Amino acid sequence: MIAPAFMGQFSQAVTPGKLRDAFKRTGFSGMIEVALFADILTLKEAFEFDRHILTEKDFLLTSCCCPLWIALIRKLYSQLVPHIPPSVSPMVACGRGIKTLCPSAVTVFIGPCMAKKAEAREADIAGAVDHVLTFEEAQALFDAMHIKPERCDDDLRDHSSAAGRIYARVGGVSRAVQATLNRVRPDRRIPLRAVQADGMRECKAVLNDVLSGTITANFLEGMGCPGGCVGGPRRILSVEDGTRYADDYGARAVSGTPIDNPYVIELLQRFGFDTVESLIDGENMFTRRFS
Ligand code: SF4
């Protein structure tokens, strides 16, 4: 399970298909882009927004993809917890999805994040992700096995939409949910007004603004690292280059949003969701209740 921030991390010449083949040469059965599950959660977040934002005073605190942001709210701003959408992270969604389709699978998340190692062990979501590696650790694995990803075969599976791909950079979640909401609820009376914070200092500042009532946004996106996941502590590229690669990869997606992505619709049907709206019905594999 490769994090959305992977583009360019293993050199410019390493395409998603070459990276998949490189991982297979190390012994993995396959490589799935977590961006595909970020797509599904984007769809869920759009419907959560539509359900919860009914007055000008309502707001949501996203993104569920960043454990530092979620931990900050739970520890220091607990009165705001009810505003977190009840969703697992794309990493956990991906792990659960794989294990639903292939119960004996061992799942390994690979990304730029150290906090994901702790998230995978949190009691209420444990079991979805068996191991977490960083990009640096994956590169060390390639080096130790004398595998050059740029020389591998191009084993391409192009499944994610632009929405899921840009989760890698700050502002990506907001743009993804905005575009998806525009597709599924074009006539909404109250539009999505997003504000982003990246880095813990900015995240705290935005949450303080919420408490003091000085913020007019109704969709607040927090990412613990400066720049978002492309600025994660175990990235290989600079934040600027990582952002550029993420944006470029998003621009090359065949589908713009998850509602236009046939792989999302097919996967949801395989998971037992009859309609996309049923993503927010009751408890399901993508639900997480925060306290
Ligand atoms: S922003 Fe940083 S802490 Fe948050 S998920 Fe991304 S890499 Fe991890």
Side-chain angles (χ1 to χ4, degrees):
M1 304 187 292
I2 192 86
F6 77 96
M7 275 305 284
Q9 297 287 340
F10 300 94
S11 98
Q12 186 176 357
V14 179
T15 62
K18 289 185 176 192
L19 191 60
R20 176 173 289 105
D21 187 48
F23 280 124
K24 284 183 174 176
R25 292 183 193 207
T26 69
F28 285 100
S29 302
M31 181 189 93
I32 292 184
E33 291 182 33
V34 175
L36 176 58
F37 286 83
D39 263 5
I40 291 176
L41 289 167
T42 299
L43 202 44
K44 184 172 184 296
E45 298 277 270
F47 287 122
E48 295 283 4
F49 183 90
D50 190 53
R51 174 161 68 177
H52 291 289
I53 308 303
L54 302 175
T55 74
E56 291 293 344
K57 290 187 173 172
D58 296 329
F59 62 91
L60 286 184
L61 298 174
T62 195
S63 157
C64 54
C65 66
C66 181
L68 288 187
W69 167 250
I70 295 293
L72 176 67
I73 299 169
R74 294 173 94 179
K75 282 182 188 155
L76 300 181
Y77 298 86
S78 56
Q79 63 273 52
L80 297 178
V81 165
H83 298 276
I84 303 174
S87 303
V88 297
S89 67
M91 173 186 80
V92 170
C94 189
R96 286 184 178 173
I98 291 170
K99 289 188 182 237
T100 299
L101 300 177
C102 183
S104 62
V106 175
T107 53
V108 182
F109 175 82
I110 299 174
C113 186
M114 293 299 288
K116 289 283 179 193
K117 291 187 185 249
E119 183 196 349
R121 295 195 301 272
E122 288 185 39
D124 63 318
I125 48 174
V129 180
D130 295 305
H131 305 282
V132 174
L133 295 178
T134 66
F135 289 149
E136 288 178 345
E137 289 165 337
Q139 184 62 60
L141 182 64
F142 293 144
D143 292 343
M145 297 182 76
H146 305 291
I147 294 168
K148 302 272 184 211
E150 64 275 19
R151 294 190 198 154
C152 289
D153 299 330
D154 212 347
D155 185 359
L156 184 62
R157 320 274 165 93
D158 200 1
H159 290 156
S160 51
S161 82
R165 294 180 182 189
I166 58 173
Y167 264 56
R169 46 106 75 229
V170 66
V173 177
S174 304
R175 278 164 48 192
V177 175
Q178 173 89 70
T180 305
L181 191 66
N182 290 347
R183 286 282 290 111
V184 298
R185 294 288 184 267
D187 300 323
R188 263 202 125 252
R189 187 177 61 83
I190 300 176
L192 186 148
R193 297 186 300 272
V195 69
Q196 295 88 28
D198 57 326
M200 294 305 276
R201 185 180 300 182
E202 268 204 34
C203 287
K204 281 183 185 173
V206 160
L207 293 170
N208 288 337
D209 287 347
V210 173
L211 290 183
S212 64
T214 57
I215 210 153
T216 54
N218 56 18
F219 190 85
L220 294 94
E221 173 192 329
M223 302 289 268
C225 298
C229 295
V230 291
R234 294 295 182 267
R235 68 186 186 277
I236 297 173
L237 281 181
S238 70
V239 178
E240 294 74 22
D241 285 344
T243 304
R244 188 167 45 81
Y245 276 106
D247 285 343
D248 178 63
Y249 191 43
R252 285 192 279 125
V254 174
S255 308
T257 73
I259 197 71
D260 306 303
N261 184 345
Y263 298 108
V264 166
I265 307 305
E266 181 195 327
L267 254 189
L268 289 178
Q269 286 170 349
R270 289 176 75 183
F271 292 146
F273 293 91
D274 295 331
T275 63
V276 289
E277 287 86 355
S278 63
L279 271 169
I280 58 169
D281 287 349
E283 303 291 315
N284 61 56
M285 62 189 285
F286 301 120
T287 306
R288 185 180 188 191
R289 299 285 167 192
F290 295 97
S291 58

